Amino acid sequence: MKYRAPTSIDEAVELLSAHPGAAVFAGATDLIPQIQGGRPEPSLVVDLKRIPETVRLESENGFWRVGAAIPAAALTAHAGLSAVFPGLVEGAGLIGSDQIQGRATLGGNLCNASPAADSVPPLVALGAEAIIVGPGGERSAPVSEVVIGPGATSLDRAEFITEFRIPSPSRWSSDAYQRFIPRTEMDIAVAGAAARIRVDSDGRCEEAAVVLAAVAPTVVEVSAASGILEGRLIPHDSGRDAFWDELEEAVVSCCNPIDDKRGTAEYRRKVAQVLARRTVVTAARRARETL
Amino acid sequence: MTTTRTGYKWVGTRPVRHDGLDKVTGRARFGADYATAGMLHGAVLRSPHPHARILSIDLTEAAAMPGVKAIITGADLPDLSDEFAAGSEGGINFRDLSRNILARDKVLYEGHPVAAVAAVTLRAAQQAAEVIEVEYEILPAVLSLEHAMEDDAPVLHDDLFTLGLDSEPDRPSNISRRRVIARGDLDAGWVEADVVVEREYTTKAVHQGYIEPHAVVAETGEDGRSTLWCSSQGHFAMRTYTTKVLGWEPGDMKVIPAEIGGGFGGKTTIYLEPLAALLSRRAGRAVKMVMTRSEVFRATGPTSGSVMRIKMGARRDGKLVAATAWMAYEAGAFPGSPIGPGVMTVLACYDIPNVLIEGYDVVLNKPKVAAYRAPGAPMAAFAAESVVDELAEKLDMDPIELRLRNAVTEGVRAVYGPKFRKIGFVETLEEARDHPHYAAPLGPWQGRGVASGFWFNFGGETTATVSINEDGTAVVMSGCPDIGGTRAALAQMAAEELGIDVHRIEPVVADTHSIGYNDMTGGSRVAFAVGIAVVDASRRLIKDMCARAALIWDVPAEEVEWVDGRAQSVTDAAAPLTLEELASGSANTGGPLSATVTVNPRGAGAGFSTQICDVEVDPDTGLVTVLRYTVVQDAGRAIHPDYVEGQMQGGAVQGIGWALNEEYIFDRNGVMENPGFLDYRMPVASDLPMIDTVIVEVPNPDHPYGVRGVGETGIIPPMAAVANAVYAATGKRMQDLPMSPVRVLEALSGD
Amino acid sequence: MLNGDEIDFLCNDYQTLLSALRDELGMIGTKEGCGTGDCGACSVILDGQLVCSCLVFAPEVDGRRVETIEGLAEVDHLHPLQDSFLEGAAFQCGVCTPGFLMAAKALLDRNPSPTETEVRYGVAGNLCRCTGYDKIVRSILDAAARMNEPENRKEAP
């Protein structure tokens, strides 16, 4: 196995085009354990961290551009990002221990294509686009379309993601992410939920997005959520208003979980409902706080 | 001749440990930290199947790989007949041990070693191992106790006939042994009982979870003599076992103990050692072998999963009058679960007149179990102490009060046979009852549980040497690896005796060629047994030094006493002689100052612990959070209280992990699904509160300072304490471990 | 830069930083407990950021700054964390200790006055099987307190 660290997109694309057995990486927090676990070793690993576009973090023209190879620790330490996308930062901040945070990236978390990736539901809820480069040049795709199944992405072999473009939040909106794990750290989400809520001047929900992790082959958006929550005054604690039942039903109908070592399908359904409620409450509270 | 003291100067204090500096600077050398120039690296080919017949092994391609220097399979080890290792309580049969090191005709668990390769790099060895071709005939696997014990279950060993049955079995089975303890008249006992509780409990296999994987470097010379550097809980046993498996002579092997990165019982047996030694012999070069974490989980000893049915009856006044226990423990691929100590400890805390305990040792297609901290006792206590809690509730009695009314005390005959000597069980219960924790307020979805535990502790064969250097400093030499601070404790006892500063004493763990035989570091024995030897050796030295002072002063030896590190004339006829003076002049008084003592002490002093646990349960997710935890334990005498507390805290937290999340998970095909720290969920720092400790000191009359073993008892009560707390918080009795969120939420949504 | 020294070493591209430290440079203080980033025994500080050296390819550190346990003490005195760990009996077997010390150093560099909860999460990536964490957490809090005493306060590293 060879290691290369190209310093430009072109150089990286060239390397990938020339080496069919190559793999890109940024934090390597999934790649190395996978090789340790017996997955065939790539003939070449291409380190994306030295390409300037992959480590850029800035806000311009109604968008945030977040480099795909920025370590999570740098995202959680970024005051500006935390202020506008608290849910995304929560998701990124949950990817592993402090040690993992020093390495793991949004790009890697997405392209590892695990349904349990913590930063992906908030990216989807925020309507983020992935900027993808490859032999055919640059294209963009909604984050929700990058992963097509466990371990599988829609990217071509020589393509990789340089950055995410996230629409700056509209007025009076915010987001939140929560996951459930049996310990307090060092686990993969048994289920997770992100919510983005926009409220009107009265604090009523005007628009909502709820996205679930680890309850289906890919992260899944609860498309009915916006309709259910629209016009509601979402309370500080998730009381027993009837719309919660509707939301929970909508959540369950999106779930297609499996039984595995981390939890049962039944458990995942139940906890997804709990987390959806909790993140909606948190996102709504945060949105109202911007009023 | 003797020292008179009003209090101790070193015993009971908290000096910085002698090996501490090396461990905070990265200089300490653990098993994997040894290397020799030009050494080879070894890798193991392991079975992908839990149960299969090996039809053929083709080494041709592997042997031809570049850099490969030697390959061995089961055919390269001698076949041994049944013979049990001394002191292993039937846990180690050399015949089975050999077959666990390298499979012969059958593989018996996923991860069972089939071949081992030595090559110039680890990568080359791994790649060669991968291309060894093994043809298997897959056999049906047995993965649960229930299945294994069925009459028509597939049988792992054709020659395994159950021992201990009323009639001799006529065909082989997976039950290797039945153990029974009975006393009194059960029928009469049940008649007397006003309340009876009967429940079934299950626990899963759990791993010791030491952070340091098994590692060894072996160098075998052309003359067949070899040296092993390895981390273990007993280098003498490593030598005995390794040479036995190889058919070599123990005297031809020197084992040098590395620092050991945790053992908890799991490093009391061999895995890589004979492979590395034999590969080294074949290749003519040193061979290093280090397990991956996945190998550690898949192929080294967890402790048993279990099924237990307990029934206990009490009179209205709280007196326990009858109890039965039916217990089955997983042994893994070969016989030898800790069912023996399981049946002996399950009811040992209480004085119950009418008892029947029945235990089964059962083989199945999982890794062979190894000792784990108080082997066999924690799961038994989970069951028994849960029943006691339920009885207390039915009797409307405080659970500590119920225990106090039945607690064993000095002179009571233990359910497993002997009479208890001086013990401190009642004292732990009283301390727990009077602790502020026991009366602290609780909030909604919070609950408190208590549980107790008993462990025998162990003495064992021991050699220790105390030598005085010419500057009056001392070396305390033992042959027991120091897992958790025993070097400091031994130095403290020597310092107390010799009357010198503890940091003028260097405690060392000597190799097999430098000191006489020592049993393993296990059974919580080191501070007790090695302590006795060190104290005795120190006293012999003092006697010797007093005699030498008498010689110098030309007075009768009886007129010299040892005070504060100096020989002193009782008649004040001469100025005292310091240790330094006696040491530097020793050439003129009979030669070097050194004493070696060997002992095999009895009276290790039973240990008891009572623990209090507060939990909060999230009713939406089933998550159990431990809010507060207190461990009360009788240490006899805490030589170094920091490390006594450390044993109590560490044991309790391992028990909390066992209670809440740890378990071996196998897929349908018998392949372990969670052989890593990500999904084998041991507690992390953020899962836990501080662990309060109360050291009870009821001195053990059989140790010069009153020491009882403290290493193991702490892990026994936690699972029941947590389960009882979960009940108090939720009204649900959790009878199956682990109490994972999935299980707790299921219980909460049931009925 | 390794512990402040400019060094060169040869390694294979597939080697991890952990392997390079231990096998090529003889820096055995950094331990391997799992090889998959789940135990923290191999923690080192890379350009100021705590990482598991088992999850870093060795060639990645070309031109970067690596701090290991071997560089924690000064010539004539220990780091306050090392003193606290010694005095607070924060380890039993000691194999996880280098990783804990590096994680704790990274935590205190970033947050000089952590709460107990912050300490617990700060070392949640480090497994200890011996101590139950109690004495480790206390020792880190103790070291923070010592480092915050006016006479011990140093300019930020």
Side-chain angles (χ1 to χ4, degrees):
Chain A
M1 193 195 84
K2 291 286 166 207
Y3 166 90
R4 292 288 178 275
T7 53
S8 72
I9 290 174
D10 290 347
E11 194 189 339
V13 170
E14 211 166 290
L15 277 168
L16 291 171
S17 304
H19 293 84
V24 297
F25 82 96
T29 57
D30 289 314
L31 177 66
I32 292 179
Q34 282 162 2
I35 295 172
Q36 290 278 340
R39 187 178 288 199
E41 198 176 87
S43 59
L44 170 74
V45 289
V46 178
D47 183 350
L48 301 178
K49 291 190 295 291
R50 299 197 184 211
I51 302 171
E53 287 86 345
T54 67
V55 290
R56 189 163 55 187
L57 175 51
E58 60 195 23
S59 157
E60 60 172 42
N61 303 330
F63 285 94
W64 278 77
R65 304 168 61 149
V66 182
I70 299 174
L75 301 179
T76 55
H78 195 281
L81 197 72
S82 305
V84 280
F85 303 124
L88 174 61
V89 172
E90 278 168 345
L94 286 172
I95 309 170
S97 61
D98 279 10
Q99 284 88 336
I100 303 298
Q101 291 276 302
R103 299 274 295 166
T105 64
L106 294 184
N109 201 218
L110 177 62
C111 292
N112 185 50
S114 160
D118 288 309
S119 67
V120 177
L123 280 174
V124 172
L126 291 168
E129 297 264 322
I131 306 302
I132 300 163
V133 296
E138 184 183 301
R139 68 183 176 98
S140 79
V143 167
S144 58
E145 291 172 14
V146 171
V147 178
I148 54 178
T153 70
S154 59
L155 267 57
D156 282 342
R157 202 193 49 74
E159 285 187 325
F160 62 91
I161 296 174
T162 55
E163 63 180 9
F164 296 97
R165 274 163 49 109
I166 311 169
S168 293
S170 45
R171 195 169 60 150
W172 303 337
S173 77
S174 194
D175 66 339
Y177 176 75
Q178 278 192 36
R179 68 167 181 194
F180 180 81
I181 54 173
R183 292 183 289 187
T184 50
E185 266 284 11
M186 300 300 285
D187 280 338
I188 306 290
V190 177
R196 179 179 55 83
I197 303 283
R198 182 159 57 84
V199 296
D200 64 17
S201 56
D202 297 332
R204 285 180 188 281
C205 177
E206 221 171 43
E207 192 200 344
V210 174
V211 182
L212 308 173
V215 293
T218 65
V219 303
V220 52
E221 178 156 9
V222 183
S223 47
S226 205
I228 294 166
L229 295 173
E230 207 183 303
R232 309 288 182 187
L233 200 56
I234 296 164
H236 277 285
D237 55 8
S238 57
R240 281 318 332 169
D241 301 80
F243 68 84
W244 290 117
D245 295 338
E246 275 179 66
L247 181 70
E248 289 185 354
E249 230 169 87
V251 165
V252 168
S253 71
C254 292
C255 291
N256 180 20
I258 55 167
D259 284 323
D260 72 0
K261 60 193 170 189
R262 292 175 185 146
T264 60
E266 180 56 25
Y267 184 80
R268 288 193 156 100
R269 274 190 211 98
K270 283 187 180 164
V271 172
Q273 297 169 48
V274 172
L275 295 174
R277 255 196 283 143
R278 289 180 181 176
T279 47
V280 164
V281 167
T282 304
R285 176 175 53 72
R286 286 176 180 164
R288 283 196 304 270
E289 281 167 6
T290 67
L291 281 171
Chain B
M1 288 302 300
T2 52
T3 322
T4 46
R5 24 173 129 66
T6 51
Y8 295 127
K9 188 154 192 268
W10 296 107
V11 164
T13 65
R14 303 171 188 248
V16 167
R17 59 195 278 176
H18 300 70
D19 54 316
L21 185 63
D22 281 351
K23 288 185 172 166
V24 298
T25 53
R27 290 198 281 266
R29 291 170 85 86
F30 292 84
D33 298 336
Y34 287 81
T36 67
M39 70 182 181
L40 304 174
H41 296 264
V44 178
L45 173 70
R46 296 177 185 276
S47 166
H49 309 296
H51 196 191
R53 197 172 305 284
I54 298 175
L55 301 178
S56 67
I57 303 177
D58 184 350
L59 305 176
T60 322
E61 192 185 345
M65 300 263 294
V68 172
K69 300 293 182 185
I71 307 180
I72 55 173
T73 67
D76 295 298
L77 295 183
D79 259 321
L80 304 174
S81 50
D82 286 328
E83 183 190 343
F84 290 92
S88 72
E89 292 179 353
I92 291 184
N93 177 343
F94 289 122
R95 176 174 183 265
D96 294 339
L97 183 63
S98 170
R99 289 162 174 265
N100 194 42
I101 297 297
L102 277 174
R104 304 297 207 280
D105 51 334
K106 288 212 294 185
V107 289
L108 295 166
Y109 56 94
E110 186 251 338
H112 197 163
V114 174
V117 184
V120 291
T121 64
L122 177 57
R123 228 170 136 81
Q126 287 167 336
Q127 286 167 350
E130 275 170 31
V131 301
I132 293 173
E133 278 185 37
V134 185
E135 195 183 344
Y136 294 103
E137 175 196 342
I138 294 176
L139 302 171
V142 181
L143 296 166
S144 72
L145 280 166
E146 292 81 354
H147 185 201
M149 295 177 83
E150 282 168 9
D151 280 344
D152 56 351
V155 168
L156 272 71
H157 304 280
D158 293 337
D159 54 354
L160 183 65
F161 292 83
T162 313
L163 298 173
L165 294 182
D166 299 333
S167 59
E168 201 150 309
D170 55 5
R171 58 192 181 108
S173 80
N174 295 319
I175 302 171
S176 83
R177 176 185 287 271
R178 172 174 176 256
R179 301 279 301 255
V180 176
I181 292 176
R183 76 175 179 196
D185 178 346
L186 264 182
D187 292 337
W190 296 130
V191 168
E192 208 184 332
D194 296 309
V195 292
V196 173
V197 170
E198 181 173 15
R199 296 276 185 203
E200 180 172 304
Y201 300 86
T202 67
T203 71
K204 293 289 180 62
V206 295
H207 199 272
Q208 296 82 353
Y210 33 81
I211 306 302
E212 179 206 30
H214 298 259
V216 61
V217 175
E219 186 158 41
T220 308
E222 292 74 5
D223 58 358
R225 297 173 71 85
S226 56
T227 302
L228 256 58
W229 292 262
C230 65
S231 84
S232 77
Q233 287 176 245
H235 36 296
F236 288 91
M238 297 304 110
R239 179 177 70 173
T240 307
Y241 296 180
T242 301
T243 53
K244 184 66 102 174
V245 162
L246 294 171
W248 297 0
E249 293 296 324
D252 287 341
M253 180 174 282
K254 173 170 158 181
V255 183
I256 298 174
E259 291 293 336
I260 169 171
F264 315 111
K267 290 178 184 163
T268 57
T269 188
I270 52 170
Y271 298 101
L272 298 175
E273 290 79 1
L275 302 178
L278 184 55
L279 285 169
S280 171
R281 181 81 183 88
R282 292 284 170 87
R285 288 162 70 171
V287 173
K288 180 173 186 170
M289 299 183 81
V290 183
M291 281 195 197
T292 64
R293 179 54 53 183
S294 163
E295 290 180 301
V296 172
F297 274 114
R298 284 152 58 224
T300 73
T303 193
S304 307
S306 66
V307 176
M308 297 163 291
R309 286 193 285 277
I310 311 278
K311 182 178 175 186
M312 292 172 88
R315 286 198 315 242
R316 186 58 54 201
D317 63 1
K319 173 66 190 152
L320 295 170
V321 288
T324 59
W326 183 98
M327 310 159 75
Y329 281 13
E330 295 176 354
F334 299 97
S337 74
I339 189 67
V343 297
M344 289 161 84
T345 59
V346 62
L347 299 172
C349 286
Y350 306 110
D351 184 11
I352 311 174
N354 309 299
V355 168
L356 174 63
I357 306 166
E358 204 182 347
Y360 293 89
D361 182 51
V362 182
V363 296
L364 34 52
N365 294 113
K366 295 183 182 178
K368 167 73 171 76
V369 302
Y372 181 20
R373 212 167 195 162
M379 49 286 230
F382 164 58
E385 292 292 291
S386 294
V387 169
V388 169
D389 195 66
E390 201 168 338
L391 276 174
E393 187 197 12
K394 291 204 166 177
L395 291 164
D396 196 21
M397 189 178 286
D398 175 86
I400 293 181
E401 179 57 31
L402 176 60
R403 286 174 172 85
L404 278 166
R405 289 188 189 189
N406 295 282
V408 289
T409 53
E410 185 175 1
V412 168
R413 186 165 292 285
V415 68
Y416 59 88
K419 280 186 178 165
F420 283 109
R421 300 202 7 124
K422 186 86 186 147
I423 52 172
F425 183 29
V426 165
E427 287 80 354
T428 69
L429 288 164
E430 289 170 346
E431 286 285 344
R433 180 194 59 200
D434 300 338
H435 195 281
H437 181 175
Y438 200 54
L442 290 164
W445 291 103
Q446 296 179 356
R448 176 167 301 135
V450 294
S452 298
F454 152 79
W455 187 244
F456 315 91
N457 297 320
F458 180 61
E461 295 192 73
T462 302
T463 309
T465 299
V466 179
S467 305
I468 310 294
N469 296 319
E470 67 266 33
D471 59 355
T473 60
V475 174
V476 170
M477 204 186 273
S478 77
C480 290
D482 175 1
I483 309 189
T486 49
R487 266 172 294 203
L490 296 177
Q492 284 174 271
M493 286 186 262
E496 193 70 50
E497 294 292 329
L498 294 170
I500 60 174
D501 189 292
V502 74
H503 287 115
R504 288 180 64 77
I505 296 177
E506 186 61 36
V508 299
V509 180
D511 65 56
T512 52
H513 281 25
S514 305
I515 194 165
Y517 178 83
N518 276 274
D519 278 342
M520 287 187 272
T521 298
S524 303
R525 75 175 210 91
V526 177
F528 170 72
V530 187
I532 288 173
V534 166
V535 167
D536 195 2
S538 302
R539 289 178 181 174
R540 286 189 200 186
L541 266 179
I542 288 167
K543 188 175 176 188
D544 184 15
M545 291 188 288
C546 287
R548 293 179 192 224
L551 190 72
I552 292 168
W553 292 331
D554 195 19
V555 299
E558 303 82 58
E559 288 185 17
V560 180
E561 61 179 12
W562 192 257
V563 181
D564 288 338
R566 299 187 303 185
Q568 204 164 283
S569 159
V570 289
T571 57
D572 277 336
L577 278 166
T578 64
L579 188 59
E580 291 88 327
E581 288 164 335
L582 285 164
S584 63
S586 66
N588 302 320
T589 57
L593 294 168
S594 183
T596 295
V597 168
T598 67
V599 294
N600 186 7
R602 300 191 157 274
F608 288 87
S609 177
T610 298
Q611 305 185 2
I612 314 170
C613 172
D614 291 357
V615 301
E616 179 167 321
V617 177
D618 179 343
D620 292 334
T621 63
L623 182 73
V624 177
T625 304
V626 176
L627 300 175
R628 186 170 179 181
Y629 204 97
T630 302
V631 181
V632 185
Q633 189 171 320
D634 177 16
R637 170 88 63 206
I639 302 295
H640 194 310
D642 275 344
Y643 293 104
V644 171
E645 291 162 7
Q647 291 297 320
M648 294 160 68
Q649 292 165 331
V653 167
Q654 288 182 346
I656 290 169
W658 195 339
L660 293 180
N661 283 307
E662 293 180 34
E663 61 176 316
Y664 267 55
I665 304 173
F666 293 90
D667 72 10
R668 223 174 321 166
N669 302 316
V671 174
M672 187 181 179
E673 286 196 285
N674 58 337
F677 283 140
L678 181 63
D679 287 305
Y680 182 86
R681 301 187 182 102
M682 303 191 332
V684 300
S686 47
D687 294 343
L688 295 160
M690 293 297 185
I691 307 295
D692 288 341
T693 54
V694 178
I695 301 175
V696 170
E697 293 188 315
V698 176
N700 174 8
D702 292 321
H703 183 279
Y705 292 105
V707 164
R708 300 171 192 277
V710 293
E712 291 164 287
T713 315
I715 198 177
I716 301 170
M719 289 95 84
V722 174
N724 294 338
V726 169
Y727 172 75
T730 64
K732 300 291 177 187
R733 290 275 173 200
M734 301 300 297
Q735 291 165 233
D736 303 299
L737 296 184
M739 292 174 266
S740 59
V742 172
R743 286 229 174 87
V744 173
L745 194 63
E746 250 169 40
L748 289 174
S749 23
D751 47 77
Chain C
M1 294 279 278
L2 179 59
N3 296 325
D5 296 327
E6 199 80 59
I7 61 142
D8 293 315
F9 65 91
L10 288 173
C11 67
N12 288 298
D13 281 7
Y14 59 75
Q15 275 180 282
T16 61
L17 174 57
L18 173 61
S19 165
L21 287 170
R22 290 179 56 85
D23 304 333
E24 308 303 328
L25 294 163
M27 310 280 280
I28 51 133
T30 304
K31 304 300 178 190
E32 175 162 1
C34 68
T36 50
D38 299 311
C39 78
C42 68
S43 298
V44 301
I45 298 176
L46 175 58
D47 281 348
Q49 173 64 52
L50 184 69
V51 299
C52 285
S53 59
C54 74
L55 294 186
V56 177
F57 288 113
E60 284 188 67
V61 304
D62 189 13
R64 300 175 71 183
R65 208 173 71 242
V66 178
E67 296 168 64
T68 71
I69 184 68
E70 285 90 350
L72 189 58
E74 305 285 337
V75 174
D76 58 347
H77 63 273
L78 296 175
H79 188 280
L81 277 162
Q82 292 170 308
D83 283 326
S84 290
F85 269 53
L86 280 175
E87 287 160 27
F91 52 95
Q92 287 171 29
C93 81
V95 79
C96 70
T97 307
F100 267 97
L101 285 166
M102 296 314 285
K105 176 178 190 292
L107 171 70
L108 297 188
D109 284 350
R110 191 178 74 232
N111 177 2
S113 304
T115 62
E116 181 193 330
T117 301
E118 287 168 340
V119 169
R120 287 187 179 277
Y121 278 90
V123 297
N126 295 74
L127 290 176
C128 168
R129 191 60 158 172
C130 292
T131 65
Y133 303 105
D134 183 300
K135 292 185 193 304
I136 295 175
V137 173
R138 287 181 200 275
S139 295
I140 296 171
L141 290 166
D142 173 62
R146 289 184 198 205
M147 291 163 77
N148 288 333
E149 282 165 19
E151 67 272 22
N152 295 335
R153 224 173 271 161
K154 282 198 296 192
E155 63 285 7

